Amino acid sequence: MKRIGFFLLVFWLFGSQIQAVTVTDFGLKKMGGDFFKLSEHLGSKIIIIDFWATWCKPCKKLLKRLNTIQKQYRGQVEVLAISIDEASAFSTVESYIKARRFEFTVLFDAENKVARLYNPTLKIPFTMVVDYQGNIVYVHTGYIPGVENEIEDKIKNILSSK
Amino acid sequence: MKKTISFYLVVLVLLGLPLGLAASSLGSLQFLVTNELIYQYNEMAEEKHQYHELISFSSSFKNWSLGLTLRGFNFYKQTPNTTLDNLNVDIYRFYIRYQKSHWKVNAGDFYALLGRGMVLSVLKNEDVLRERTITGGDIVYHRGKLDLRILAGVVTDETEDQKWALAGGETSLEWLKDNYLGLHFSYINDMDSRLQLGQRLTYSLSASGNKLLKHFSYYAEVARLDFLENGSLAEDGYGLYSSLTFNYAHVTCLVEYKKYHHFNNEMNNPPIADRENEVSAISNTEGVRFHVQYALFNPDLRFFINHGRYREYEDKGDHTYGGLILEDLWDRLDISVSYGIKDILYPIRKFKVDLVYQISNRWSLEVSAWDKHYRDGEFYFKEQDHFLQVSLAPVLSLYFLHQYSHNRIMDLNHFYSGGIKLILKGITVIELSLGTVRGGQMCSGGQCFVVPPFKGVKFSIFHIFK
């Protein structure tokens, strides 16, 4: 157990020196078949990237809140809801999103190619707010009702400093 | 791969320190580190102290991405009631990726899904603690209306001590606006001389489309599987999956049909036409499902009904369930209620209720319960779960779970567990739980896994270094 503790301490010391900076560009298939490339959308809007799955209950609660944000800040914010569901659930994802008339963009990442860039252990929901310069200004994992207020505060900060 | 802790630390220093320093000196280098640690005291295991840790580095520089996950462990997540003799340390996952304009090249570990998983599906399935990767190479080309992909590598199933070599590929073409045609194939060779399962060649043709007549979208895939022995055809099988979604005004409909005959190539996971369906057999099964949902808004109210008819070998049966979802009632209450009967091998009845009540801006209460039981003559079985959670946003959740099983497991009928979950600044998740957990068969996305019962204390911490 001592060795484990030592190992953890060393790693955490190194880890705490590291700074996350800008978002990495990626391309994914949109629900509906088109191709989405992040770099084509950066700069003009605040981007919220949210990783979710149909089997994840907290994720679905957060999606609903994100849709409210999308509607409230239409033209200023773009929410990307990236589904990490496996292929079995593609039809379910589609009917879930359409039935709720969610307005945000839904992307498929069944192979977790993008999720692994930011969230290698695939803990979801996992949410990031990206500013106009492509900086990741907010990262959050998990969902407890009320977290959406923090996201909205970040949006307001970015908008006020524009 | 067993190595000593000193090796682990050397790797850590050699990789972590230069990358950490580079991250602070190079503006365009993007770097992320996460750490997940689980420690549990598991009374069900002979050696009760168990440890599992994953440290992941991921970094991007210009067109390059790099990922590395180191693991320290003395048990596998899939088999927690067995503790290994030593603390093992290994390089769990590694990849390097290059992407430029139309190309993406990946070497190392990667997940792969061809089509909708009928010819190849090597993905993580967190629900059933299943994770395999392909270790090898993967090239993807995307330009305009054309997609091409080719991959090859080795898949190792560490808990089953099995190894496969495989190659695969697919191409897809947008032949009409929002309509696609695809070709997919995989070739899999059993490298384990003990099993001698031979080779499997699977190939398929798919068609998909969106916004058809404005309101429809569809997907269809037809596949053939050849079982080969020394290059000669020994047996064959086939699979067919199709789905059609319709959405207009308040109504959403989904129709799915599947038929699989002798269609298991060990690396495929074809759509099961219903995630709730626990039947995962793909050797000889047929099913059709109709799901319709009607939605009203303010408050958000949805009714749904789902009917499926399935055949497995000589057993036929129906699976019907329906319910309602009510969200944002009085701006603070979400309710979901469903009831279903699945009558294929034996009649299973399942009732499920979920309720989330937002007491105030910060306090919320969540209650969920389900009851599953069946009776087949003298044979009777019943399982129940009752879950209660109180949360204080955005930091704290306290939860309690009661489980019941008609069959005695660990000499118990009732199982009690509870825990506390803390989310600190959104980047640290700390969870402490204790008690007894029933275990049992879990099915998700067509994959089933028997989770052993658990008794003890579990502590986990997940942290994002930023």
Side-chain angles (χ1 to χ4, degrees), chain B residues 152-199:
Chain B
V154 173
V155 176
T156 306
D157 197 319
E158 58 185 9
T159 52
E160 292 175 18
D161 199 19
Q162 239 178 292
K163 193 175 262 195
W164 304 83
L166 66 84
E170 68 181 356
T171 178
S172 134
L173 178 72
E174 186 180 14
W175 63 281
L176 189 68
K177 174 76 178 153
D178 294 325
N179 285 271
Y180 303 83
L181 281 176
L183 285 169
H184 323 270
F185 86 93
S186 70
Y187 177 80
I188 297 158
N189 182 25
D190 173 27
M191 293 171 72
D192 189 332
S193 55
R194 285 179 302 114
L195 298 173
Q196 294 190 328
L197 295 173
Q199 302 85 41

Side-chain angles (χ1 to χ4, degrees), chain B residues 27-97:
Chain B
S28 57
L29 182 74
Q30 298 141 42
F31 203 89
L32 188 79
V33 182
T34 66
N35 187 20
E36 181 194 60
L37 166 72
I38 297 169
Y39 167 76
Q40 60 193 28
Y41 178 80
N42 183 0
E43 286 198 12
M44 303 304 294
E46 200 169 311
E47 170 51 57
K48 296 176 173 54
H49 297 279
Q50 297 186 314
Y51 161 80
H52 193 283
E53 180 163 23
L54 295 176
I55 300 169
S56 299
F57 304 80
S58 54
S59 176
S60 297
F61 183 67
K62 294 187 175 173
N63 298 322
W64 295 88
S65 301
L66 178 80
L68 171 70
T69 299
L70 304 174
R71 177 175 62 165
F73 64 108
N74 68 356
F75 75 103
Y76 293 110
K77 279 187 177 179
Q78 297 96 321
T79 55
N81 289 357
T82 304
T83 312
L84 305 172
D85 292 337
N86 301 309
L87 174 69
N88 295 270
V89 178
D90 64 9
I91 295 174
Y92 185 51
R93 300 287 183 247
F94 171 79
Y95 69 84
I96 184 161
R97 188 181 303 156

